[in-house]
Amino acid sequence: MTDLLYSEEEEALRAAVRDLLTDHCAAAGVVARAESAAPHDLGLWKSLAQSMGLAGLLIPETLGGQGATHREAAVVLEELGRAVAPVPYLTSAVVATEALLDCGDEELLEKLATGRTIGVLAVGLHLGPGAAVPVVRLEDGTLHGELTGVADAAAADVLLVPADDGGLYAVAADAVTRTPRISLDLTRPLATVTLDGAPGRRLGEFGPAVRRALRAAAGLLASEQLGLADWSLTETVRYLKERKQFNRPVGGFQALKHRLAQLWLEVVNLRAAARAAADALATGEDTDITVAVAQAYAAPVAVRAAEEALQLHGGIGMTWEHPVHLYLKRAKAGSLAYGTAGAHREALAELVDLRAP
Amino acid sequence: MSDAGELRDRTREFLAANPPGRTERLDFLRARFDAGLAWVHYPEGLGGLGAPRSLQAVVDAELEAAGAPDNDPRRIGIGLGMAAPTILQYGTEEQRRRLLRPLWTGEEVWCQLFSEPGAGSDLAALGTRAVREGDDWVVDGQKVWTSSAHLARWAILIARTDPGVPKHQGITYFVCDMTDPGVEVRPLRQITGEAEFNEVFLTGVRIPDSRRLGAVGEGWRVAQTTLNNERVAIGGMRLPREGGMIGPVASTWRERPELRTHDLHQRLLKLWVEAEVARFTGERLRQQLAAGQPGPEGAGMKLSFARLNQEISGLEVELRGEEGLLYDEWTMRRPELVDFTGRDAGYRYLRAKGNSIEGGTSEVLLNIVAERVLGLPAEPRTDKDVAWKDLAR
Ligand SMILES: Cc1cc2nc3c(=O)[nH]c(=O)nc-3n(C[C@H](O)[C@H](O)[C@H](O)COP(=O)(O)OP(=O)(O)OC[C@H]3O[C@@H](n4cnc5c(N)ncnc54)[C@H](O)[C@@H]3O)c2cc1C
């Protein structure tokens, strides 16, 4: 049976990551950084990826990684979601890493495991497992074309680029032009990547590599969304115990208690679904269905949690100064990332044979 | 003047005498006010003709067909929707004559100094003090979330004039001059990136007693007129089919077949139906209200408006897919108008979040419907009969 709990080691990992984020990723700093020239917190990345060695969780020990599983990566992502941390963990340590594992490219895996190299799969953030991905042209041995909507491209050292010969190519980030786009989610910014005769090294076939990477992304995004939803609930409960109107704490009004109790129920469900997806990715059992279930359920809950948090904070929730908007923007953008809930429901229609009329 | 034909003739005569193409915008608006065609249900001499409210549509249609300029209601929503009906109901003749014309033409913008950091849903708990000194009131306190304060010439203000009585009884309603040196307006940035609202600090602001609206200590009752009108003003605009938030998403759907999915299709159609039904409900409410002031029923319109705006704009971001992940502009600026349906889908989605907070939160409005429309028993209260100064804060 699927293990849906957290092991002692996983709880210890969570505590360590949370400590780091409490000290180095305070909400006010994330709000301030969001609009700066350096939207990614590379200092935090360094602590997380290098000092704590978390960049290599999914990479075998023989290649300098931790040889851990998606279960541990999921715990890290829960904490990063709780802090809306602007680090390229999902994109580099999960998505790019999975693509490289599929290609078996030891050279880059060793680099990514150190955390000193950040890799990004040059596929639009909105594309889910199974979607057709745009490719660049391979001409005279170099790559040409434009790829849009690439998350965290600004932080990348190496981009993994699908080309029209069916290959996935490693391209040095400084060999391409990365044009930042103004993004709804300020903590996971997008860029357009333009290749104008960029040299690349062929890693393998992009088809299976991209599919594997996006499936892991969709499954583990659910854990990030769980962290986000859990923060939204916890912070709102805290605030409403404190906030007084009508000579009493607002959280004492039954209408609000029921709303928060309902949200708690959804977070409980989300936790189970996210754990199931992480475990299925780790064991390889029933993975397609479990990932589709988790991602069909997770995004709407995360969005609702952030929306409820804003609403129940009242006017202060509408301000730039209060962090709730970062969570709302991350949640809403997350609902489009790696396939929408609707797209995952459609995938399930096939997988469990409940086809459209 | 209660006949549509007569009013149409009158509007045409007015247009002949003031041809829109050859009349300065402001001159045109002033002349329209003076001809009683601004808001026909207002009294003669105050921009109206004492006609039924529903006949305004006749005037508007004629003016629109003639390409006449309007008074840019999105810039002056608080004046038109909230200050004006309150001034009409509680103002002295002198106040009405001084204030209503420039309010309607947009020459003077209004804002609403009601909410405070400690008094939002529980507005009656407000602590801004007004103390009588000779013919003036001296006002000290802090207001917050004040939309358009940076543009405003006047504010409607409620302040505490008697801390020794229960909170609903010690409040008085004023018209505050925003150019008074004791008024300090600081921008408050919103989740959209803009600062549409502000913090307003009032320090020794002198308001002549002649700018009081209603009796001393009657401010809570006067404020009810403002708030009931605010809810209708926010939620109850007359719109053509697809006139509100549903418009942009419907156009996107028609123009961009590549974005369509079965899932989104069903959700869009459901929301389209709900938006259309909300339009009928609004029209019906307006017909019921043809005479008189809106009551607590107006809360229903605002509740539907907020929920629909949020769901529709949320769907639109999803529909846009890859583009939904982008935003047009985060730069901090102080906008000239309150815009619910402008800019891109991301802006609309974020701005709509305010619709269920501004003008009374949806939770508070549901309480109003439950208690004042349905007559359900109120929650037990500990704050109604205690002097304001003795309440815990
Ligand atoms: C965009 C925007 C523009 C605004 N413009 C203006 C303006 O121009 N002038 C002005 O004066 N004010 C303005 N406001 C303020 C607005 O009226 C208040 O924010 C609102 O009344 C809520 O007050 P609060 O923010 O203090 O929230 P709180 O009252 O602290 O409420 C917090 C949460 O508790 C809930 N709650 C409170 N009491 C109850 C209850 N009894 N039962 C159930 N739930 C309850 C609320 O619904 C909310 O979700 C604006 C607000 C926004 C967001």
Side-chain angles (χ1 to χ4, degrees), chain B residues 280-351:
Chain B
F280 290 139
T281 311
E283 193 50 45
R284 185 156 188 281
L285 184 71
R286 270 187 300 276
Q287 290 178 10
Q288 285 173 321
L289 276 180
Q293 286 287 333
E297 302 79 13
M301 279 316 297
K302 207 221 146 207
L303 279 163
S304 303
F305 172 81
R307 184 184 63 80
L308 277 171
N309 271 0
Q310 293 173 352
E311 287 192 22
I312 293 168
S313 59
L315 180 84
E316 194 189 354
V317 172
E318 259 191 76
L319 169 64
R320 288 189 165 267
E322 182 175 2
E323 289 159 44
L325 289 165
L326 302 176
Y327 195 74
D328 60 354
E329 181 68 75
W330 292 118
T331 316
M332 157 73 179
R333 60 185 155 200
R334 302 175 90 180
E336 288 285 314
L337 36 87
V338 174
D339 193 358
F340 293 161
T341 53
R343 291 180 50 180
D344 72 350
Y347 169 84
R348 289 193 282 277
Y349 172 70
L350 295 174
R351 182 59 187 83

Side-chain angles (χ1 to χ4, degrees), chain A residues 256-275:
Chain A
L256 299 195
K257 287 197 286 196
H258 285 187
R259 288 259 289 271
L260 291 163
Q262 182 63 35
L263 191 56
W264 172 84
L265 192 61
E266 288 173 36
V267 172
V268 166
N269 291 340
L270 174 51
R271 187 177 305 280
R275 282 320 274 165

Side-chain angles (χ1 to χ4, degrees), chain B residues 31 65-66 91 112 121 137 149 189 218 262 272 277 303 326 335 343:
Chain B
Q112 178 194 25
S121 298
W137 295 85
R189 197 172 179 198
E218 285 285 291
H262 290 294
W272 197 96
V277 170
L303 279 163
L326 302 176
R343 291 180 50 180

